[in-house]
Every structure is written in C-alpha cells, then in structure tokens.
C-alpha cells in the first residue's frame, strides 16, 4: 500500500493480478481503513520517499509526519522483526528527526540488509518500503581524470550485471542529467559514463558512483590551459561606407596577436586600426569597401579565432534628393506629372512604383525609366482620380529603401449633394440647406450660384452667388406657390455641374404630431386628473394648446371636453364632467397655427370613483419549476378586507442577485395571472425573488420566498441512462477507442476520467456536454490497456463506472514445437512462449494434431495457459504432426509446426533360447513419474490438470479438492489412460479455487501429489 502508483501495473504482473478494477477498489478501501487507524496518533503524513542507496555504502528512507502526542513510541521492523535503532548516525540503524521530517538510515550495507522495512507508531503501521540489494559489482572502477579548463571530462565504469541507472555524486552533490552533466548508459546497461561538460576549476574534486551497495570514487583534476580565447570573433555584416569592428577577448591581458585577412597578415593604415585594450583585441575598418569582405583571423600564443565580414551595398538615396522627391506635385487635370529619384547601390536592383498602394505598370499614359543611377516616373494626361500617394521602392540583395511623394490633380468640383433639407417653408420665406460636393476638385468651395424657377413658368431667375456655406433663405416668395432651384458650386478651378432641387411650396400647412397618451394621475367620484407630454414634432410653429376628448367604455363615440377654439393651455387638466362608477378613456390632440393634429393613442380605462385601498400580500408563493436559465413561480391571490385591502388587479415580479441589494422588476406592466416565468438567469447563480400585488389604489406589500434560489434544475443525483453498459472492450492497436457515457445529473456535475486510478494521459481526448461524456483515444497503443473509470459527481452525490479497454493485435506465433515421450502411448508437446504472452494475460494456446491415417487436422487442446501439452492415444506405426497456435481476443496466430513423430514396428527374426526358468516379480508400489503443476487460470476459462503414475498392480487413482473426493462429481471430467491421469474443468469459477490432490494406492503402497489452482477474476 506504500508503493508508488506508477508501480501498480508492475506489481500486479508480478503476482498475477488481472482484475485491476477489483484491485484498485480493494486498495482504496484498505487505504481508508489504514488512514482511520493512523488518525489516532498522526495529524498529517506526507512526502513519503522509499528506500534509496546513498553514496558511502548506506541507505535511507524518509517521510514527513506530525504526531498528536510527541511522546508516543516509534518502532522499526524488518521482515516482521523489531530492529533497535539509535538517534546517533554512527549506529547500524539510526533515526534523524528534523522538524516534521523523519529519516531512517542503514549503515555499511550488506546482503542480509535486504528485506521489508516498516515503521509503526504505537502498533499502527505508518510506512513500509521494500529494500532489495542488487547483486552487482564493479568489473572496472572509475579512474582519476585530468582535464583542461573548458574541456569535457569523462568517468566510466563497467558493472558485472545490467542496471538501467546508477547514482553519480560529485563533490558531495548528486549529478543529474542537464547543462553540466551528461549521463550515458550502453545498450547492454553494463557500461555507465558521466560526462562533466565545460570543466572549470570549481568542478575539481572527488566523484563517486554507487551501484546497489557497491561504490567507488576517483578525483577530477582541472588544469589551467594557458592563454586561450574567452570570447571569439563573430560574423558581422556592414553597409558600404560604414565603420566595421571585429573584437575578441583572451584570458590574459599581456598577450599580443596578429590579424589576418584571407590568410594574409593585415597592416595598420589610415582606414585600418588595430587596438589592444587589456584582454580585448579589436580590428576597426573605418570606411568599409566591397573589397574588405572576407575571412578574418586573429592568432595569439598558438591559438586562433576566425569570422566572416560581409560588406553590403543596399540601395541608397541622397537625403537632399529624397527631400525634393517628397514634395507634392500639383497639376491640373489633363497635364503630365514627373517624379525622379537618383539612387546608388549594388546591382541588380529592382525598382517598383506605386500609386495609392497599387503597383504601376507601363501603358500609354504611364512611362517608367530605370537605370543604375536613377529612376523616373512620367504620368501623362492625368485625371482627378490619379490624386494620391506616389511611392518608389528600390530593392537589392542587401536591403530595401522607399521614397514617398504625393500627386495632386486639380479639377472643377463635383455637383452639390441633395436632397435639400427644408428648415422653414412658410407663406413668407423658404429656408433650406444642402450638402457640399463630394469632391471639391482639390480646391475649397468659394461660392454657390443659385437659380430659381416658379412652377408653371419657363424662365429661370438668377439669384446670384452666395458665400460658400451650403444654405439659402429666400424671402421673395408668394404664399402657396411652388419653386425649384438650380445649385452650382464654384472653386478656383471652375464651376460644377448643376444640382436641381425638388419642388418646394411656400406656406404649406404643417400640423403638429401626436402628444403622448394621457396619463391618469388620480381618480375620484367627481374628478379625474390627467397629464400628457407635448409632441416632438410641432409642425414648425409653436403649440397653441390642446383639444381633449373622452369616451365611455363600450361606446364608439368620442366627446369633446373643451372647444377647439378654446384650447387647453397647459399639459394637464382636471376632468370634472364625469359620472361616478362609469369607466372612461381619454385622448388629446395638439393645436398649432395650422390647426389640430392627429389625436394621441387612448389612455388606460379609469373608473370615476374614490381611490381604492392597495391589495395585501399574495399567498403560497412557491417555485414550480427551474432550469439553469429560467425560473417558474406560482401563487394565490391576496385576501380582500373591506376598508383595509381591496382586490388585486395585477402583479409585479421582482428579482435581485444575492450580492446586489437593488431589486429589478421583471415585468413593466402588471400581469393578471398568478404565475410567471423568469428568463435570462445566470447558471448556478443565487437570487432572491418577490411578488407584489397591485390595483388602482397602488401596490401592496411584497411577498418574498423564504430562501434564496439557485438557477438550476431540481437536484438530481447522477445516474447513468444506458441500459446495457459494456464493462470490457477489445481494440486493435492503431485503431481508435471511443467510450460514450450518457447520464442525467443536476446541477451540472464534475466529470473525471481515471486510468487505473490515475488521471488519464493528455493524449486522451475528453469531450463533455450536459448529459454525455466521451473518452477518445485517436490512435490506441498497447500501453493504453487498462481500466478506465468515469466519476460523475455533483452536490447531490456521485456515480462511477469502469470499463476495461484491452489494446491488442493479432498474436505472434509461439516458438518451435518440440516432442518428447515420457510415458508409452503419449507424446508431450512443448513450445517456447509467444512474444505477446507477457503483454496479454488473455492469450492462450491451441494444439492441433494430424496422423498419417486420418490426414485431418483435429483440435486436441484449447485454452492452454502453459507451454506444454500431453497428447494421449499415440499408436505405434503411425506418423503424427502437431501445430501450436497462439490465440487472443483479436484472433489466431500463424501455426508453429512440430517435427514428425512416429513409432515404427520392427519385425525381428524369431529365436528362442531356452534357459532355466526364473520367477520374475514386476510388482511395485505407486509412484508419480510426472507430478501436478501449479495453475493460475482466468475466470470462465478451461483448466486442464494432468500427471503420470505407475505401479503394479495398477493403482487406484482418486482426485480431491480441499480433501473432498471429486471422482463422483459430474462437474469435473476425470480420465485415466495408460497411467496418464487428467482432470478437465470446463468453466472455472471462484468456487474452484483451492488445493487439488491425487492419491494413487495399490496393495503395495500409496503415493500422492498436490497443487493449487488460483482463479483470476475478470468478470465480476
């Protein structure tokens, strides 16, 4: 139980456990039981580390533990025997305690230190660890290594037995694979190496290696290499004409050196400078030319460093030329524009011209000149649309440069934009405005030229030029006449095309819009108070007043409350011309100089009666249904009490999140039914809900739910909805494995998938939805075999389900079959296991036989889990052939053929030599030639047991299970042929587990042999 989870599969294979789900379930139950026992004395137990061999020939294991009582007794056991220990590290077994950390150690390891170590506190098991001493020694020990600074040092040893990993230590610190150390192991795992990379002085010291309980050590000596480069030259690129600098650094400040270019020594000049600054050496090229490109080398004290210097010549432009190029070119439409730029740089150069980001290609209006020194763009007969950014892009292998200018083509403006917007159209004035031209042609609008035509006449009257603002006020109009206007824009470049307006009438009647619906402020038996909001559209003139009308409920006739010629001046009125008990509705119309506009929509119906009392609280408020986003409520009407609380006419539902003190109203208008659905809730959020009854007298007291509610469906404990769920699945290696689990749960559960009790790999795809979870292994491999468990858990409970996935493939055939005869009349077939036997515990073998007479293959054995079978009824004079197949859940392997087996009859000449007759006695007590073997068989499979016995007279054979005779039990098929005794169990169950015994007896004696049958549970 103290083993690491990663070792579970290995332990199960070692002990023949195949039912992983049962093992994990039992293990978890045991762990809970142990934790309860440990809880009596231990508050916390963590960081358990199993026993490891340490440098120096010792071993330690440790854990962290908080004791409830520091005075409790701690015991150490080895293989069940208590081992005395001391707090002194000089003793054989010792304990070191640092805070909560307990470390148990063993000194001077020997072979008898192997065993199971257990720590107990007052008789309760806390931790156990198994220590096995590897039987290994050093054939070649590590030797002293001398290395020069900055070089690598290698320690190497050879072991007597293969080990995948041994422990390296350097200067009392573990050596791990990383930037400083490389740990290498040969394929046969006998040769182990430690590489100390880039040695420095500090790396010197004692290095040791530990394999099992054996260890050895050696020194690493790091020597000074003399003068060397601590920083070498680096490749650089420099633009032509710029400064280039090469630099390196030596380990000594007092060492001179020589610079070379392409193998020739460099001498200082006006353009070349050599500097020696302490440990730094620099070569400076002040004005790099193309011929300065090459390989440079610096040599000092027999050491050298090299690098490449590349002089590049990217496109270049004179800054003054670029400034001139950037100035905009302004021309008139139809004229030509020229752009020119001088360039320098390494050939070949590619030159591109762009207008507003679009590359220009030569045609009849575009001419592009390119040379080694300049490029020119000529645009002829330019149109207004050519206005925009002009860009040149020059590129060669060393770089790219760009230049940007602008082309402005001037033209007359486009027409002004309509339709016109009428500001005022009265009997004395027409005031209107329009939008400026979309394109002013590159020049601002100076004036607009207007002409007017009266509808019905042919002539146009010039109104002259008005300033550049696009609006006009015409006061020379006749009431009722319609007019049309021509508008032209004027710039320095010319006059635009004409824009013609629609007909505009002077003195048009403009009635006001509708006021708001009248609102009832209060109602009494002899008076109803109303208010309303003025119309947003006044018709272009002031509102003179309002005309109010009323209508009884059920009537089609509206009656005026005031005369149109005597409008109501304000925005409200007290209507007194009402009859008590009658229900009325009202509408109002606004009046301006043109007259009364359209009446408003009617008001709500209102009774002419004294105010009512607000209703009381509703009753029986409850939640009738809920989801993650909705909530359904139901309630009953409040009770009426005359003079205290009147009948409710409607209801308001209000809600607020638990963290928000403000109530939000769900319905703007009261509802008349006693139920309501609240929408748009946030999943799993907490809300408070209340309902308020209302009537004409106002709103009653709110009624809240007793507790907050969660936005979720009614709680449902997770349960799986599939009627038949497979608990076992076989998948061919390389194919996909998919598990779909359907469930019902509320609230939304947390879904966890485990493989053999551990979280599934990141390569496994998990897809979850509201009621489904899917596990997908896109390309399955044999290591994916295991028990996959889904845990669906929410606040109500949890449900689990496990399915065993077995990833396998067509089995490989077993090894060569060999034949052997131990008992006359029988042949024993043996074979080497299939390579897949270790990886597939469901793999078994089938044996077929053919003889020289029948020549038909017959299956003589199936579901064999061992590598041996004894064939009976082998007749002399015939030849026999055997085939052995491996079989698993995917199918059969290719057969493994046996050699031919035959016993020929030899006919010798008959001769008889008479001699004195002696009495011969062949009687003997029973004895077993071939005893029973141990068997471990999966549940529901066959189990075949056999042994061979001899004796004279022929012994009587009896089979027993747990000392109970089986000879008369029909569940067991027992045969005895020529001394070969066999028993077949067709379908093994857990009840068949136990000890099996065969007893053979005759008059001269008795013999017995026994075995055990273990049943591995696969199906529960």
């Amino acid at each position: 139980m103290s083993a690491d989870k990663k070792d579970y599969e290995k332990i199960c294979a070692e002990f023949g456990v195949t039912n992983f789900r049962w093992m994990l379930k039992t293990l978890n139950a045991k762990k809970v039981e142990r934790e309860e026992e440990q809880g009596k004395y231990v508050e916390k137990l963590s960081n358990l580390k199993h026993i490891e061999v340490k440098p120096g020939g010792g071993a330690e294991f440790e854990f962290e533990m908080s004791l409830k009582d520091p005075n409790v007794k701690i015991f150490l056991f080895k293989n069940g025997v208590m081992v005395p220990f001391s707090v002194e590290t000089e003793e054989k077994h010792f304990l070191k305690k640092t805070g909560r950390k307990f470390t148990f150690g063993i000194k001077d390891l020997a072979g008898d230190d192997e065993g199971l170590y257990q720590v107990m506190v007052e008789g309760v098991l806390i931790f156990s660890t198994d220590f096995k001493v590897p039987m290994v020694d050093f054939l070649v020990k590590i030797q002293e290594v001398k290395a020069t600074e900055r070089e690598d040092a290698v320690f190497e040893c050879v072991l007597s037995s293969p080990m995948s990993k041994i422990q390296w230590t350097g200067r009392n610190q573990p050596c791990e694979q990383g930037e400083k150390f490389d740990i290498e192991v040969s394929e046969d795992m006998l040769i182990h190496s430690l590489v100390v990379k880039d040695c420095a002085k500090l790396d010197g010291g004692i290095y040791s290696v530990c394999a099992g309980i054996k260890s050895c050590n050696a020194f690493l000596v790091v020597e000074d290499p003399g003068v060397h480069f601590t920083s070498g030259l680096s490749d650089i690129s420099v633009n032509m004409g710029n400064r280039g600098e090469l630099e390196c650094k030596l380990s000594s400040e007092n060492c001179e050196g020589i610079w070379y270019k392409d193998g020739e020594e460099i001498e200082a000049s006006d353009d070349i400078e050599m500097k020696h600054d302490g440990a730094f050496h620099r070569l400076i090229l002040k004005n790099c030319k193309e011929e300065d490109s090459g390989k440079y080398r610096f040599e000092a004290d027999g050491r050298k460093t090299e690098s490449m210097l590349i002089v590049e010549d990217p496109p270049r432009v004179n800054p003054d030329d670029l400034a001139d190029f950037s100035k905009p070119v302004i021309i008139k439409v139809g004229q030509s524009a020229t752009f020119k730029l001088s360039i320098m740089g390494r050939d070949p150069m590619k030159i591109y011209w762009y207008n507003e980001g679009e590359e220009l290609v030569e045609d009849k209006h575009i001419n592009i000149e390119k040379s080694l020194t300049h490029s020119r763009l000529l645009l002829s007969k330019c149109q207004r649309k050519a206005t925009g950014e002009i860009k040149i892009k020059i590129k060669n292998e060393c770089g790219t440069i760009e230049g940007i200018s602008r082309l402005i083509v001037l033209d007359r403006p486009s027409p002004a934009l309509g339709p016109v917007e009428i500001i005022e159209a009265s009997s004395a004035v027409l005031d209107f405005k329009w939008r400026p031209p979309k394109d002013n042609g590159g020049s601002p609008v100076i004036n607009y030229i207007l002409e007017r035509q009266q509808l019905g006449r042919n002539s146009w009257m010039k109104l002259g030029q008005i300033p550049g603002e696009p609006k006009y006020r015409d006061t020379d109009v006749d009431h009722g006449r319609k007019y049309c206007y021509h508008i032209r824009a004027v710039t320095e470049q010319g006059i635009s095309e004409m824009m013609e307006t629609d007909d505009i009438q002077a003195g048009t009647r403009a009635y006001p819009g509708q006021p708001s619906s009248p609102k009832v402020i209060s109602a009494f038996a002899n008076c109803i108070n109303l208010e309303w909001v003025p119309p947003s559209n006044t018709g272009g003139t002031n509102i003179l007043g309002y005309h109010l009308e009323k209508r009884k409920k059920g009537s089609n006739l509206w009656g005026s409350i005031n005369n149109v010629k005597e409008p109501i001046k304000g925005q409200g009125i007290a209507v007194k011309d009402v009859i008590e008990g009658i229900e009325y509705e009202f509408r109002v119309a606004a009046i301006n100089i043109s007259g009364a506009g359209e009446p408003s929509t009617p008001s709500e119906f209102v009774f002419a009666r004294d105010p009512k009392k607000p209703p009381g609280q509703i009753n029986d408020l409850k939640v009738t249904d809920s989801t993650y986003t909705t909530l359904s409520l139901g309630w009953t009407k409040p009770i009426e009490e005359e003079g205290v609380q009147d009948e409710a006419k409607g209801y308001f539902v209000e809600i607020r999140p638990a963290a928000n003190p403000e109530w939000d109203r769900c319905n703007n208008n009261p509802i008349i039914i006693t139920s309501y659905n609240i929408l748009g809730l946030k999943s799993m959020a907490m809300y408070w809900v209340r309902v308020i009854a209302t009537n004409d007298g106002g709103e009653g007291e709110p009624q809240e739910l007793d507790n907050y509610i969660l936005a979720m469906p009614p709680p449902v404990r997770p349960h799986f909805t599939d009627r038949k769920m497979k608990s076992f699945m076989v998948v061919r290696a390389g194919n996909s494995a998919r598990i779909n689990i359907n469930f019902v749960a509320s609230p939304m559960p947390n879904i966890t998938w485990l493989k053999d009790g551990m979280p599934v790999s990141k390569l496994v795809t998990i897809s979850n939805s509201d009621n489904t979870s899917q596990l997908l292994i896109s390309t399955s491999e044999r290591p994916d075999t295991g028990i996959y468990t889904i845990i669906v858990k929410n606040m109500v409970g949890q449900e689990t389900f496990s399915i065993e996935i077995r990833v396998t493939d067509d089995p490989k055939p077993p090894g060569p079959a060999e034949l052997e005869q131990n008992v006359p009349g029988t042949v024993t077939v043996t074979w080497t296991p299939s390579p897949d036997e270790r990886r597939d515990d469901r793999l078994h073998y089938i044996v077929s036989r053919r003889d020289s007479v029948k020549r038909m293959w017959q299956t003589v054995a199936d579901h064999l889990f061992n590598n041996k079978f004894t064939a009976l009824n082998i007749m002399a004079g015939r030849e026999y052939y055997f085939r052995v197949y491996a079989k698993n859940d995917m199918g059969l392997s290719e057969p493994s053929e046996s050699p031919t087996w035959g016993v020929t009859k030899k006919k010798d000449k008959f001769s008889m030599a008479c001699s004195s007759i002696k009495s011969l006695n062949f009687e003997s007590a029973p004895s077993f030639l071939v005893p029973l073997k141990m068997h471990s068989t999966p549940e529901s499979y066959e189990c075949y047991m056999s042994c061979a016995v001899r004796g004279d007279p022929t012994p009587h054979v009896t089979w027993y299970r747990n000392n109970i005779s089986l000879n008369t039990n029909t569940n067991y098929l027992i045969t005895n042929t020529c001394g070969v005794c066999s028993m077949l169990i067709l379908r093994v169950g857990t009840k068949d587990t136990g000890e099996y015994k065969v007893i053979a007896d005759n008059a001269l004696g008795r013999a017995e042999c026994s075995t055990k049958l273990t049943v591995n549970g696969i199906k529960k």
Side-chain angles (χ1 to χ4, degrees), residues 42-53:
V42 178
E43 290 183 351
K44 185 177 181 181
L45 184 66
S46 61
N47 295 333
L48 290 78
K49 296 183 180 179
H50 289 270
I51 194 164
E52 291 182 352
V53 177

Side-chain angles (χ1 to χ4, degrees), residues 146-431:
K146 292 184 178 180
T148 305
E149 270 192 275
R150 316 292 293 183
E151 293 182 346
D152 293 346
V154 181
F155 290 98
E156 190 173 83
C157 63
V158 182
L159 305 181
S160 60
S161 301
M163 287 189 72
S164 61
K165 184 178 180 181
I166 60 178
Q167 189 172 1
W168 292 90
T169 306
R171 297 176 292 113
N172 296 324
Q173 296 294 328
C175 299
E176 302 291 345
Q177 180 74 33
E179 294 183 0
K180 190 62 185 176
F181 300 102
D182 272 340
I183 298 176
E184 300 172 353
V185 183
S186 63
E187 290 186 4
D188 57 9
M189 294 187 287
L190 293 175
I191 303 174
H192 293 252
S193 303
L194 173 68
V195 181
V196 185
K197 297 185 284 188
D198 194 18
C199 288
K201 282 288 186 180
L202 294 175
D203 295 325
I206 297 178
Y207 285 76
S208 62
V209 58
C210 181
I213 61 174
K214 302 293 185 178
S215 64
C216 59
N217 56 61
F219 274 94
L220 169 61
V221 180
V222 181
E223 299 175 339
D224 189 347
V227 176
H228 61 278
F229 287 98
T230 59
S231 176
L233 296 176
S234 299
D235 294 341
I236 63 171
S237 296
V238 183
N239 287 340
M240 186 177 293
N242 290 352
R243 171 191 174 102
E245 183 174 320
L246 297 170
E247 179 184 270
C248 61
K249 184 180 179 181
L250 293 170
S251 60
S252 172
E253 297 183 357
N254 301 318
C255 184
E256 297 294 335
I258 302 174
W259 288 92
Y260 296 88
K261 176 184 179 292
D262 297 331
E264 296 183 3
E265 184 177 347
I266 301 174
E267 296 182 357
S269 65
D270 293 340
D271 292 333
I272 300 176
E273 182 180 357
M274 302 177 189
K275 285 188 176 182
H276 178 191
D277 184 8
F280 290 92
H281 292 260
R282 296 181 180 88
L283 175 66
I284 301 172
L285 306 176
K286 298 179 181 179
N287 184 16
C288 290
K289 306 178 185 63
E290 190 167 0
E291 56 268 20
D292 291 330
S293 296
K295 180 184 289 186
Y296 288 79
R297 184 175 78 249
F298 181 75
E299 295 185 359
D301 197 22
R303 298 180 182 269
K304 63 181 179 180
T305 176
E306 295 180 343
S307 69
M308 290 295 297
L309 185 145
I310 300 173
V311 179
E312 298 181 339
D313 189 11
R316 288 169 288 135
V317 177
N318 186 290
D320 295 335
D321 292 345
L322 184 60
D324 292 339
F325 177 82
S326 301
K327 295 177 182 178
V329 175
I330 303 174
I331 62 173
K332 290 187 177 183
V333 66
Q335 294 180 345
S336 298
T338 303
F339 298 87
K340 181 178 179 182
L341 186 63
S342 299
I343 54 177
M344 297 173 285
R346 181 177 299 168
D347 196 52
M349 287 189 288
K350 295 182 179 180
I351 302 173
Y352 307 91
W353 287 90
Y354 299 88
N355 184 353
E356 283 297 314
E358 183 178 350
E359 185 177 354
L360 297 175
V361 181
E362 283 197 83
D363 60 17
K364 62 181 180 179
H365 296 303
I366 301 174
N367 179 258
I368 300 175
E369 295 181 6
K370 300 178 183 178
S371 70
L372 296 177
T373 59
H374 75 278
S375 179
R376 187 172 78 111
L377 171 66
L378 174 63
L379 303 175
S380 59
K381 297 183 180 180
C382 293
Q383 300 300 314
R384 171 65 181 166
K385 63 181 181 180
T387 297
E389 179 186 85
I390 301 295
K391 180 171 72 174
I392 182 174
K393 183 177 181 180
I394 306 127
K395 181 179 180 181
N396 67 4
E397 63 180 4
C398 300
T400 302
I401 191 172
E402 294 181 352
I404 296 176
S405 184
R406 186 164 188 84
L407 172 63
I408 301 175
V409 181
L410 302 177
D411 196 2
R412 65 175 184 165
S414 62
L417 299 177
V420 297
E421 179 183 347
I422 299 174
I423 301 172
E424 183 180 354
S426 64
S427 59
V429 67
L430 289 178
D431 192 358

Side-chain angles (χ1 to χ4, degrees), residues 76-77 81-86 91-94 105:
L76 177 64
F77 290 82
V81 179
M82 189 169 70
V83 177
F85 62 87
S86 171
E91 300 294 330
K92 174 69 175 178
H93 300 92
F94 61 87

Side-chain angles (χ1 to χ4, degrees), residues 618-625 631-637 653 673-677 689 691 703 705:
I618 65 166
N619 298 311
D620 300 328
L621 178 60
K622 59 186 176 183
V623 177
T624 58
D625 193 16
L631 178 67
S632 298
L633 301 174
W635 62 88
T636 57
K637 293 183 177 181
V653 178
I673 59 175
T674 56
S675 63
Y676 188 77
N677 291 329
V689 178
V691 178
Q703 176 64 55
L705 287 172

